[in-house]
Amino acid sequence: MKAKLIALAPPQPVQDSATALTRARYQRISAIYDRMEGLMEKRSRPWREKVWQSVFGPRVLEVGVGTGKNMEFWPKDCKVTAIDLTPGMLEIARKRADSLHRQGDDLFLADVQHLELPSAIFDTVVATFVFCSVPDPIQGLREIGRVVRPDGHILLLEHVRIDRPVIGPLMDILAPLVVRLNGASINRRTVENVRAAGLQIDHVMDLDDVGMFKFILARSIR
Ligand SMILES: C[S@@+](CC[C@H](N)C(=O)[O-])C[C@H]1O[C@@H](n2cnc3c(N)ncnc32)[C@H](O)[C@@H]1O
């Protein structure tokens, strides 16, 4: 039976030009996104699995679901609400959800910087490789802090600026070019952004030798 989970709303107008540009960039690459990320995916798949093993439910929000690469790890006993800014990415996620027979979940277009969701309704919020592309990451992180329960978990898998003498400044130089190609800023300081958003960091796990890939576990402070 087909999963009957998703009604795709027409794209909502975004509230600023930087967000419109982000959506346009991901819309342009949505059809080739999975192939573009093919090599990287081999590396990140075990990280995704690890993140989802730390999820507790029953109500889970996945922010920036993209083409749905995490869906195979979505716990069977959780109801997942998944949002993304980009219609083309969400459409691929919808097909993947259908093929995985996820029933009872919700996927819809939304901007994490302005969530039209009540406060404190999720047990866990997850985002993987998202806050490199949200135009105002601190505002987006504040919003997930608002919608998670006070004792709920925020789990982030992110690539960040490498904090080392030569490579860090090189990432700063290359960042404007890379963001045009694939929508992601390679020099985000996401750990610092999480703190700046007023969230409490419980743990930051380095996933590689140079400190580029991080698993961040945080909570909302209320
Ligand atoms: C690099 S992709 C990662 C997709 C997926 N999370 C993954 O792990 O493969 C970044 C995703 O974040 C989405 N995104 C960017 N800005 C967003 C925003 N303000 N609100 C919601 N989603 C956003 C993009 O549309 C894109 O699908």
Side-chain angles (χ1 to χ4, degrees), residues 13 21 26 53 77 86-87 109 111 116 135 147 153 164 212 220:
L21 186 57
Y26 278 101
Q53 280 166 354
D77 55 353
T86 310
L109 279 173
D111 177 356
E116 289 178 13
V147 299
H153 291 186
R164 290 191 180 181
M212 183 168 173
S220 142

Side-chain angles (χ1 to χ4, degrees), residues 41-91:
E41 194 52 29
K42 285 202 169 65
R43 198 166 183 214
S44 50
R45 204 170 177 279
W47 300 338
R48 295 181 188 278
E49 194 168 8
K50 190 184 189 72
V51 168
W52 285 91
Q53 280 166 354
S54 307
V55 164
F56 73 92
R59 297 219 46 185
V60 177
L61 173 67
E62 179 171 357
V63 167
V65 65
T67 58
K69 287 184 185 184
N70 289 317
M71 279 176 189
E72 63 177 295
F73 305 117
W74 284 4
K76 295 216 172 355
D77 55 353
C78 289
K79 174 180 168 54
V80 181
T81 300
I83 63 146
D84 201 282
L85 182 69
T86 310
M89 301 291 275
L90 203 58
E91 178 58 26

Side-chain angles (χ1 to χ4, degrees), residues 19 40 45 55 61 71 77 90 93 108 115-116 118-119 129-130 135 164 166-167 185 194 196 204-206 213 220:
T19 306
M40 184 57 214
R45 204 170 177 279
V55 164
L61 173 67
M71 279 176 189
D77 55 353
L90 203 58
F108 57 90
L115 290 174
E116 289 178 13
S119 300
F129 307 119
V130 173
R164 290 191 180 181
V166 177
I167 184 85
S185 295
V194 171
V204 179
M205 196 181 299
D206 277 322
F213 294 95
S220 142

Side-chain angles (χ1 to χ4, degrees), residues 95-115:
K95 288 184 184 141
R96 188 169 266 160
D98 272 349
S99 72
L100 291 171
H101 300 287
R102 289 289 312 194
Q103 289 174 318
D105 301 299
D106 296 317
L107 276 78
F108 57 90
L109 279 173
D111 177 356
V112 68
Q113 301 161 117
H114 310 279
L115 290 174

